[in-house]
Short mmCIF file of all heavy atoms in Angstrom, two decimals:
data_model
loop_
_atom_site.label_atom_id
_atom_site.label_comp_id
_atom_site.label_asym_id
_atom_site.label_seq_id
_atom_site.Cartn_x
_atom_site.Cartn_y
_atom_site.Cartn_z
N MET K 1 -0.86 2.27 -16.79
CA MET K 1 -0.42 3.19 -15.73
C MET K 1 0.96 2.77 -15.23
O MET K 1 1.22 1.59 -15.03
CB MET K 1 -1.44 3.14 -14.58
CG MET K 1 -1.20 4.17 -13.49
SD MET K 1 -2.34 3.97 -12.09
CE MET K 1 -3.77 4.86 -12.69
N LYS K 2 1.85 3.77 -15.04
CA LYS K 2 3.21 3.48 -14.57
C LYS K 2 3.14 3.08 -13.09
O LYS K 2 2.49 3.75 -12.29
CB LYS K 2 4.06 4.74 -14.72
CG LYS K 2 5.55 4.51 -14.53
CD LYS K 2 6.29 5.80 -14.85
CE LYS K 2 7.76 5.69 -14.51
NZ LYS K 2 8.00 5.63 -13.06
N HIS K 3 3.79 1.97 -12.74
CA HIS K 3 3.75 1.54 -11.35
C HIS K 3 5.11 1.05 -10.88
O HIS K 3 6.04 0.92 -11.68
CB HIS K 3 2.68 0.46 -11.16
CG HIS K 3 2.97 -0.82 -11.89
ND1 HIS K 3 2.09 -1.38 -12.77
CD2 HIS K 3 4.04 -1.64 -11.87
CE1 HIS K 3 2.61 -2.50 -13.25
NE2 HIS K 3 3.79 -2.67 -12.73
N ASN K 4 5.21 0.77 -9.58
CA ASN K 4 6.43 0.23 -8.99
C ASN K 4 6.30 -1.30 -8.94
O ASN K 4 5.50 -1.83 -8.16
CB ASN K 4 6.62 0.81 -7.59
CG ASN K 4 7.92 0.39 -6.96
OD1 ASN K 4 8.50 -0.63 -7.33
ND2 ASN K 4 8.38 1.17 -6.00
N SER K 5 7.09 -2.00 -9.76
CA SER K 5 6.98 -3.46 -9.86
C SER K 5 7.39 -4.17 -8.57
O SER K 5 7.13 -5.36 -8.41
CB SER K 5 7.86 -3.98 -10.99
OG SER K 5 7.45 -3.38 -12.20
N SER K 6 8.00 -3.44 -7.64
CA SER K 6 8.43 -4.05 -6.37
C SER K 6 7.35 -3.98 -5.30
O SER K 6 7.49 -4.58 -4.25
CB SER K 6 9.68 -3.33 -5.84
OG SER K 6 10.74 -3.48 -6.75
N ILE K 7 6.28 -3.24 -5.59
CA ILE K 7 5.22 -3.10 -4.57
C ILE K 7 3.89 -3.55 -5.15
O ILE K 7 3.18 -2.79 -5.82
CB ILE K 7 5.10 -1.64 -4.07
CG1 ILE K 7 6.46 -1.10 -3.61
CG2 ILE K 7 4.09 -1.57 -2.91
CD1 ILE K 7 6.44 0.37 -3.18
N GLY K 8 3.55 -4.79 -4.92
CA GLY K 8 2.23 -5.30 -5.29
C GLY K 8 1.22 -4.83 -4.26
O GLY K 8 1.53 -4.77 -3.07
N CYS K 9 0.02 -4.51 -4.70
CA CYS K 9 -1.00 -4.02 -3.77
C CYS K 9 -2.39 -4.25 -4.35
O CYS K 9 -2.61 -4.03 -5.54
CB CYS K 9 -0.79 -2.54 -3.49
SG CYS K 9 -2.02 -1.87 -2.35
N SER K 10 -3.30 -4.69 -3.50
CA SER K 10 -4.67 -4.96 -3.96
C SER K 10 -5.68 -3.98 -3.37
O SER K 10 -6.88 -4.22 -3.44
CB SER K 10 -5.06 -6.39 -3.61
OG SER K 10 -4.95 -6.60 -2.23
N VAL K 11 -5.19 -2.89 -2.79
CA VAL K 11 -6.09 -1.91 -2.16
C VAL K 11 -6.60 -0.94 -3.22
O VAL K 11 -6.04 0.13 -3.46
CB VAL K 11 -5.37 -1.16 -1.02
CG1 VAL K 11 -6.35 -0.24 -0.30
CG2 VAL K 11 -4.76 -2.14 -0.03
N SER K 12 -7.69 -1.33 -3.86
CA SER K 12 -8.21 -0.54 -4.98
C SER K 12 -8.79 0.81 -4.54
O SER K 12 -8.99 1.70 -5.35
CB SER K 12 -9.27 -1.33 -5.74
OG SER K 12 -10.31 -1.72 -4.86
N GLU K 13 -9.06 0.95 -3.24
CA GLU K 13 -9.62 2.21 -2.72
C GLU K 13 -8.56 3.29 -2.54
O GLU K 13 -8.89 4.43 -2.23
CB GLU K 13 -10.28 1.96 -1.35
CG GLU K 13 -11.47 1.02 -1.39
CD GLU K 13 -11.07 -0.45 -1.32
OE1 GLU K 13 -9.87 -0.76 -1.34
OE2 GLU K 13 -11.98 -1.29 -1.25
N CYS K 14 -7.29 2.94 -2.74
CA CYS K 14 -6.21 3.91 -2.52
C CYS K 14 -5.96 4.76 -3.76
O CYS K 14 -6.01 4.26 -4.90
CB CYS K 14 -4.93 3.18 -2.13
SG CYS K 14 -3.56 4.31 -1.79
N ASN K 15 -5.64 6.01 -3.52
CA ASN K 15 -5.36 6.96 -4.59
C ASN K 15 -4.14 6.56 -5.41
O ASN K 15 -4.03 6.90 -6.58
CB ASN K 15 -5.13 8.34 -3.95
CG ASN K 15 -5.13 9.46 -4.96
OD1 ASN K 15 -5.99 9.51 -5.83
ND2 ASN K 15 -4.17 10.35 -4.86
N PHE K 16 -3.22 5.80 -4.82
CA PHE K 16 -1.96 5.44 -5.49
C PHE K 16 -1.99 4.04 -6.10
O PHE K 16 -0.99 3.54 -6.59
CB PHE K 16 -0.80 5.53 -4.48
CG PHE K 16 -0.69 6.87 -3.82
CD1 PHE K 16 -0.88 7.01 -2.46
CD2 PHE K 16 -0.43 8.01 -4.57
CE1 PHE K 16 -0.80 8.26 -1.84
CE2 PHE K 16 -0.34 9.26 -3.97
CZ PHE K 16 -0.53 9.38 -2.60
N HIS K 17 -3.15 3.40 -6.07
CA HIS K 17 -3.27 2.04 -6.59
C HIS K 17 -3.28 2.03 -8.12
O HIS K 17 -3.93 2.87 -8.74
CB HIS K 17 -4.58 1.43 -6.07
CG HIS K 17 -4.79 0.01 -6.47
ND1 HIS K 17 -5.78 -0.39 -7.33
CD2 HIS K 17 -4.12 -1.11 -6.14
CE1 HIS K 17 -5.72 -1.70 -7.51
NE2 HIS K 17 -4.73 -2.17 -6.79
N CYS K 18 -2.51 1.10 -8.71
CA CYS K 18 -2.52 0.92 -10.16
C CYS K 18 -3.63 -0.07 -10.50
O CYS K 18 -3.50 -1.27 -10.27
CB CYS K 18 -1.17 0.39 -10.64
SG CYS K 18 -1.14 0.12 -12.41
N LYS K 19 -4.73 0.46 -11.01
CA LYS K 19 -5.92 -0.36 -11.25
C LYS K 19 -5.70 -1.39 -12.37
O LYS K 19 -6.37 -2.41 -12.41
CB LYS K 19 -7.11 0.53 -11.59
CG LYS K 19 -7.80 1.07 -10.34
CD LYS K 19 -7.73 2.60 -10.27
CE LYS K 19 -8.28 3.11 -8.95
NZ LYS K 19 -7.27 3.64 -8.02
N ASP K 20 -4.76 -1.13 -13.25
CA ASP K 20 -4.54 -2.02 -14.40
C ASP K 20 -4.09 -3.41 -13.96
O ASP K 20 -4.55 -4.42 -14.48
CB ASP K 20 -3.49 -1.43 -15.34
CG ASP K 20 -3.91 -0.06 -15.86
OD1 ASP K 20 -5.13 0.19 -15.91
OD2 ASP K 20 -3.03 0.74 -16.20
N ASP K 21 -3.14 -3.46 -13.00
CA ASP K 21 -2.59 -4.76 -12.64
C ASP K 21 -2.17 -4.89 -11.18
O ASP K 21 -1.23 -5.63 -10.85
CB ASP K 21 -1.42 -5.11 -13.55
CG ASP K 21 -0.51 -3.93 -13.81
OD1 ASP K 21 -0.60 -2.94 -13.08
OD2 ASP K 21 0.31 -4.01 -14.75
N ASN K 22 -2.84 -4.20 -10.28
CA ASN K 22 -2.63 -4.38 -8.85
C ASN K 22 -1.20 -4.15 -8.36
O ASN K 22 -0.56 -5.05 -7.81
CB ASN K 22 -3.12 -5.76 -8.40
CG ASN K 22 -4.63 -5.80 -8.22
OD1 ASN K 22 -5.27 -4.76 -8.06
ND2 ASN K 22 -5.19 -6.98 -8.26
N TYR K 23 -0.71 -2.95 -8.60
CA TYR K 23 0.57 -2.52 -8.04
C TYR K 23 0.38 -1.14 -7.42
O TYR K 23 -0.66 -0.50 -7.61
CB TYR K 23 1.64 -2.43 -9.13
CG TYR K 23 2.24 -3.75 -9.52
CD1 TYR K 23 1.75 -4.44 -10.63
CD2 TYR K 23 3.29 -4.31 -8.80
CE1 TYR K 23 2.28 -5.66 -11.01
CE2 TYR K 23 3.83 -5.53 -9.17
CZ TYR K 23 3.32 -6.20 -10.27
OH TYR K 23 3.85 -7.42 -10.63
N CYS K 24 1.42 -0.69 -6.71
CA CYS K 24 1.43 0.66 -6.16
C CYS K 24 2.19 1.56 -7.13
O CYS K 24 3.16 1.13 -7.76
CB CYS K 24 2.13 0.65 -4.80
SG CYS K 24 2.19 2.27 -4.03
N THR K 25 1.74 2.81 -7.25
CA THR K 25 2.40 3.72 -8.19
C THR K 25 3.46 4.59 -7.51
O THR K 25 4.16 5.35 -8.18
CB THR K 25 1.36 4.65 -8.86
OG1 THR K 25 0.64 5.35 -7.85
CG2 THR K 25 0.38 3.85 -9.71
N LEU K 26 3.59 4.47 -6.19
CA LEU K 26 4.60 5.28 -5.48
C LEU K 26 5.99 4.65 -5.61
O LEU K 26 6.13 3.44 -5.79
CB LEU K 26 4.24 5.38 -4.00
CG LEU K 26 2.96 6.13 -3.64
CD1 LEU K 26 2.74 6.09 -2.13
CD2 LEU K 26 3.03 7.56 -4.13
N ASP K 27 7.04 5.48 -5.51
CA ASP K 27 8.42 4.98 -5.50
C ASP K 27 8.75 4.30 -4.18
O ASP K 27 9.56 3.38 -4.11
CB ASP K 27 9.40 6.14 -5.71
CG ASP K 27 9.32 6.70 -7.12
OD1 ASP K 27 8.84 5.98 -8.02
OD2 ASP K 27 9.70 7.86 -7.31
N LYS K 28 8.11 4.77 -3.14
CA LYS K 28 8.41 4.28 -1.79
C LYS K 28 7.14 4.37 -0.95
O LYS K 28 6.38 5.33 -1.06
CB LYS K 28 9.50 5.14 -1.16
CG LYS K 28 9.78 4.84 0.29
CD LYS K 28 10.60 5.97 0.92
CE LYS K 28 10.82 5.68 2.40
NZ LYS K 28 10.23 6.70 3.25
N ILE K 29 6.91 3.35 -0.13
CA ILE K 29 5.79 3.42 0.82
C ILE K 29 6.33 3.23 2.23
O ILE K 29 7.45 2.73 2.41
CB ILE K 29 4.71 2.35 0.54
CG1 ILE K 29 5.29 0.95 0.64
CG2 ILE K 29 4.02 2.59 -0.79
CD1 ILE K 29 4.26 -0.16 0.76
N GLU K 30 5.53 3.61 3.20
CA GLU K 30 5.88 3.42 4.60
C GLU K 30 4.98 2.33 5.16
O GLU K 30 3.75 2.48 5.16
CB GLU K 30 5.67 4.74 5.36
CG GLU K 30 6.31 4.80 6.73
CD GLU K 30 7.83 4.90 6.66
OE1 GLU K 30 8.37 5.33 5.62
OE2 GLU K 30 8.47 4.53 7.65
N VAL K 31 5.58 1.23 5.59
CA VAL K 31 4.80 0.16 6.22
C VAL K 31 4.83 0.40 7.73
O VAL K 31 5.90 0.61 8.30
CB VAL K 31 5.37 -1.23 5.88
CG1 VAL K 31 4.60 -2.31 6.62
CG2 VAL K 31 5.31 -1.46 4.38
N VAL K 32 3.65 0.39 8.32
CA VAL K 32 3.55 0.73 9.75
C VAL K 32 2.88 -0.40 10.52
O VAL K 32 2.24 -1.28 9.93
CB VAL K 32 2.74 2.02 9.95
CG1 VAL K 32 3.43 3.19 9.28
CG2 VAL K 32 1.31 1.87 9.42
N LYS K 33 3.05 -0.37 11.84
CA LYS K 33 2.30 -1.30 12.71
C LYS K 33 1.35 -0.47 13.54
O LYS K 33 1.63 0.69 13.87
CB LYS K 33 3.24 -2.12 13.60
CG LYS K 33 4.16 -1.32 14.49
CD LYS K 33 5.05 -2.25 15.29
CE LYS K 33 6.02 -1.46 16.15
NZ LYS K 33 6.89 -2.33 16.97
N HIS K 34 0.19 -1.02 13.84
CA HIS K 34 -0.78 -0.26 14.61
C HIS K 34 -1.11 -0.91 15.93
O HIS K 34 -2.17 -0.73 16.50
CB HIS K 34 -2.04 0.04 13.79
CG HIS K 34 -2.65 -1.15 13.12
ND1 HIS K 34 -3.47 -2.03 13.76
CD2 HIS K 34 -2.51 -1.60 11.84
CE1 HIS K 34 -3.84 -2.97 12.90
NE2 HIS K 34 -3.28 -2.75 11.74
N SER K 35 -0.17 -1.73 16.42
CA SER K 35 -0.23 -2.20 17.79
C SER K 35 1.19 -2.06 18.35
O SER K 35 2.15 -1.93 17.59
CB SER K 35 -0.71 -3.65 17.86
OG SER K 35 0.14 -4.48 17.11
N GLN K 36 1.32 -2.08 19.66
CA GLN K 36 2.63 -1.88 20.30
C GLN K 36 3.67 -2.85 19.75
O GLN K 36 4.77 -2.48 19.37
CB GLN K 36 2.49 -2.08 21.81
CG GLN K 36 3.65 -1.52 22.62
CD GLN K 36 3.38 -0.09 23.06
OE1 GLN K 36 2.22 0.25 23.31
NE2 GLN K 36 4.39 0.73 23.11
N THR K 37 3.27 -4.12 19.68
CA THR K 37 4.15 -5.16 19.15
C THR K 37 3.42 -5.87 18.02
O THR K 37 2.28 -6.30 18.20
CB THR K 37 4.48 -6.19 20.26
OG1 THR K 37 5.00 -5.50 21.39
CG2 THR K 37 5.50 -7.20 19.76
N ALA K 38 4.08 -6.01 16.89
CA ALA K 38 3.46 -6.68 15.75
C ALA K 38 3.70 -8.19 15.83
O ALA K 38 4.84 -8.65 15.77
CB ALA K 38 4.01 -6.12 14.45
N ASN K 39 2.65 -8.96 16.01
CA ASN K 39 2.76 -10.42 16.11
C ASN K 39 2.15 -11.14 14.92
O ASN K 39 2.48 -12.29 14.65
CB ASN K 39 2.06 -10.91 17.39
CG ASN K 39 2.77 -10.43 18.64
OD1 ASN K 39 3.99 -10.55 18.75
ND2 ASN K 39 2.03 -9.88 19.57
N THR K 40 1.26 -10.49 14.22
CA THR K 40 0.60 -11.11 13.07
C THR K 40 0.59 -10.14 11.91
O THR K 40 0.85 -8.94 12.07
CB THR K 40 -0.87 -11.47 13.40
OG1 THR K 40 -1.59 -10.25 13.63
CG2 THR K 40 -0.97 -12.36 14.62
N VAL K 41 0.28 -10.63 10.74
CA VAL K 41 0.23 -9.80 9.53
C VAL K 41 -0.84 -8.71 9.68
O VAL K 41 -0.72 -7.61 9.12
CB VAL K 41 0.00 -10.66 8.27
CG1 VAL K 41 -1.41 -11.27 8.27
CG2 VAL K 41 0.25 -9.88 7.01
N GLU K 42 -1.87 -9.00 10.46
CA GLU K 42 -2.95 -8.01 10.66
C GLU K 42 -2.47 -6.78 11.43
O GLU K 42 -3.14 -5.75 11.44
CB GLU K 42 -4.13 -8.65 11.40
CG GLU K 42 -4.98 -9.58 10.56
CD GLU K 42 -4.38 -10.97 10.44
OE1 GLU K 42 -3.42 -11.28 11.19
OE2 GLU K 42 -4.85 -11.74 9.58
N CYS K 43 -1.33 -6.88 12.09
CA CYS K 43 -0.80 -5.75 12.87
C CYS K 43 -0.05 -4.75 11.99
O CYS K 43 0.34 -3.68 12.46
CB CYS K 43 0.16 -6.25 13.94
SG CYS K 43 -0.61 -7.31 15.16
N THR K 44 0.16 -5.07 10.74
CA THR K 44 0.90 -4.17 9.85
C THR K 44 -0.02 -3.62 8.75
O THR K 44 -1.00 -4.26 8.37
CB THR K 44 2.09 -4.90 9.19
OG1 THR K 44 1.59 -5.90 8.30
CG2 THR K 44 2.99 -5.54 10.23
N ASP K 45 0.33 -2.46 8.28
CA ASP K 45 -0.49 -1.80 7.27
C ASP K 45 0.36 -0.87 6.43
O ASP K 45 1.47 -0.51 6.81
CB ASP K 45 -1.59 -0.95 7.93
CG ASP K 45 -2.84 -1.74 8.21
OD1 ASP K 45 -3.32 -2.44 7.31
OD2 ASP K 45 -3.33 -1.67 9.35
N CYS K 46 -0.22 -0.42 5.33
CA CYS K 46 0.44 0.59 4.53
C CYS K 46 0.11 1.97 5.11
O CYS K 46 -1.04 2.37 5.13
CB CYS K 46 -0.01 0.52 3.09
SG CYS K 46 0.77 1.80 2.10
N GLY K 47 1.15 2.66 5.55
CA GLY K 47 0.96 3.98 6.14
C GLY K 47 0.88 5.08 5.08
O GLY K 47 0.63 6.24 5.40
N SER K 48 1.09 4.71 3.83
CA SER K 48 1.04 5.71 2.74
C SER K 48 -0.32 5.75 2.07
O SER K 48 -0.54 6.52 1.14
CB SER K 48 2.11 5.38 1.70
OG SER K 48 3.38 5.37 2.30
N PHE K 49 -1.24 4.92 2.54
CA PHE K 49 -2.61 4.87 1.98
C PHE K 49 -3.25 6.25 1.98
O PHE K 49 -3.17 6.98 2.96
CB PHE K 49 -3.47 3.89 2.77
CG PHE K 49 -4.95 3.96 2.45
CD1 PHE K 49 -5.45 3.24 1.36
CD2 PHE K 49 -5.81 4.75 3.19
CE1 PHE K 49 -6.80 3.31 1.04
CE2 PHE K 49 -7.17 4.82 2.88
CZ PHE K 49 -7.65 4.09 1.81
N LYS K 50 -3.90 6.57 0.89
CA LYS K 50 -4.69 7.80 0.82
C LYS K 50 -5.97 7.48 0.07
O LYS K 50 -5.94 6.94 -1.04
CB LYS K 50 -3.89 8.88 0.08
CG LYS K 50 -4.53 10.24 0.14
CD LYS K 50 -3.57 11.32 -0.36
CE LYS K 50 -4.30 12.60 -0.68
NZ LYS K 50 -4.36 12.89 -2.11
N LYS K 51 -7.09 7.77 0.67
CA LYS K 51 -8.39 7.46 0.05
C LYS K 51 -8.52 8.18 -1.29
O LYS K 51 -8.24 9.38 -1.38
CB LYS K 51 -9.51 7.90 1.01
CG LYS K 51 -10.90 7.60 0.49
CD LYS K 51 -11.35 6.19 0.87
CE LYS K 51 -12.77 5.90 0.38
NZ LYS K 51 -12.79 5.40 -1.02
N SER K 52 -8.94 7.44 -2.30
CA SER K 52 -9.06 8.06 -3.62
C SER K 52 -10.42 8.74 -3.76
O SER K 52 -11.32 8.50 -2.98
CB SER K 52 -8.90 7.03 -4.72
OG SER K 52 -9.89 6.04 -4.60
S1 SF4 Q 101 0.09 3.63 -1.01
FE1 SF4 Q 101 -0.10 1.65 0.04
S2 SF4 Q 101 -2.27 1.13 -0.06
FE2 SF4 Q 101 -1.87 2.73 -1.56
S3 SF4 Q 101 -1.51 1.64 -3.48
FE3 SF4 Q 101 0.49 2.03 -2.51
S4 SF4 Q 101 0.89 0.17 -1.30
FE4 SF4 Q 101 -1.28 0.18 -1.80
#
């Protein structure tokens, strides 16, 4: 499967996940924070996620 070598991703539940080798197949993703201020890695997420 063709993927973006710059975006590694292990979210196998996503529609855009490259199951062959754990990459994202999108050209660009939006990384978002889901708290007012991001202090830890848990505060950030992939905003381009779409349930497969
Ligand atoms: S859209 Fe986000 S969650 Fe989905 S495969 Fe790409 S990086 Fe992973």
